[in-house]
Amino acid sequence: MPGHFEPLPGGGAAVALDDVEISIIRSLAVQLLELIGPGPAEDEKPADPLAELFAEGPSEPPADPVLKRLFPDAYGDPEQLPGSPEEAAEQLAHASEFRRYTENDLRAGKRENALAVIHSLNELSAAGEGGAVLKLSQAESRRWLGALNDLRLAIGSRLEIGDEDDADDLYRLPDEDPRKPMVMAYLWLGGLQETLVTTLMP
């Protein structure tokens, strides 16, 4: 079990984490929450649930490259849209419209996933020192899976990993390279993500 998730009888997953691993994942999840930003305050939410459902979000892609990776344009990179300038402009308009009605929900979902990770790790920390075995239900496993994916996307964006060829070069970095710890975290989270996916397979 050390270093990877294993399925639990009856559903769910478990992984053994030491104090350092718990601290790293919690810290990364907190940073992700800060990057995504807070949700609307209770007094800012529409009183009508239907109005909240159709509340408008941003129509332009985020400036931060990590957020741009987490919330990509629905029609791909605007700079690489095919067709004539008129067709590209039309696709950009559709992408803006799509973003306006979906990004708030996407942010809320990613926020909830990160919070689920933090809460479950806080419960582990309260149980004592020296590490522990984290046990997740199937629903919790799916939240963890979403958060792990977002964390890897965020780290991959900071490391400018565009595809597996980029990643291969980073795997061979010398120990003195300042990016090495981030690369190691990227690889480790990838292993956790892969084994967690396996536990969710029928």
Side-chain angles (χ1 to χ4, degrees):
M1 185 182 298
H4 62 271
F5 280 97
E6 291 186 358
L8 288 173
V15 63
L17 298 170
D18 63 31
D19 286 342
V20 173
E21 292 168 333
I22 292 170
S23 176
I24 290 171
I25 298 174
R26 185 194 290 113
S27 175
L28 290 171
V30 168
Q31 290 177 55
L32 181 64
L33 271 179
E34 291 172 350
L35 184 65
I36 293 171
E42 287 300 321
D43 58 355
E44 294 176 0
K45 292 183 178 179
D48 179 1
L50 195 59
E52 184 177 350
L53 180 65
F54 291 102
E56 292 187 14
S59 59
E60 296 296 321
D64 186 290
V66 175
L67 287 175
K68 196 176 287 187
R69 187 87 170 263
L70 291 172
F71 304 103
D73 269 313
Y75 292 86
D77 187 343
E79 296 178 3
Q80 299 178 0
L81 290 175
S84 67
E86 293 78 14
E87 291 171 326
E90 184 178 356
Q91 286 186 317
L92 279 174
H94 290 317
S96 294
E97 189 78 1
F98 184 81
R99 181 180 294 279
R100 189 182 315 160
Y101 292 108
T102 59
E103 187 168 314
N104 283 348
D105 284 344
L106 288 174
R107 282 182 183 261
K110 292 179 185 300
R111 198 179 294 117
E112 288 168 8
N113 290 343
L115 281 170
V117 167
I118 293 168
H119 291 323
S120 57
L121 292 178
N122 285 346
E123 290 173 9
L124 268 188
S125 298
E129 297 183 359
V133 175
L134 173 71
K135 294 182 180 180
L136 303 173
S137 67
Q138 285 190 322
E140 291 169 332
S141 294
R142 286 189 286 274
R143 290 223 174 270
W144 263 74
L145 191 58
L148 288 172
N149 185 63
D150 288 341
L151 290 173
R152 291 193 80 237
L153 283 174
I155 294 172
S157 179
R158 290 288 187 235
L159 291 170
E160 299 181 347
I161 298 176
D163 53 38
E164 284 307 311
D165 291 338
D166 295 336
D168 288 343
D169 293 337
L170 289 171
Y171 298 159
R172 295 187 288 272
L173 287 177
D175 291 343
E176 59 271 16
D177 192 296
R179 296 170 294 172
K180 187 75 171 188
M182 200 179 294
V183 170
M184 297 306 294
Y186 180 83
L187 293 172
W188 174 54
L189 293 173
L192 288 176
Q193 182 182 14
E194 185 177 342
T195 55
L196 185 53
V197 167
T198 302
T199 70
L200 290 170
M201 290 179 175

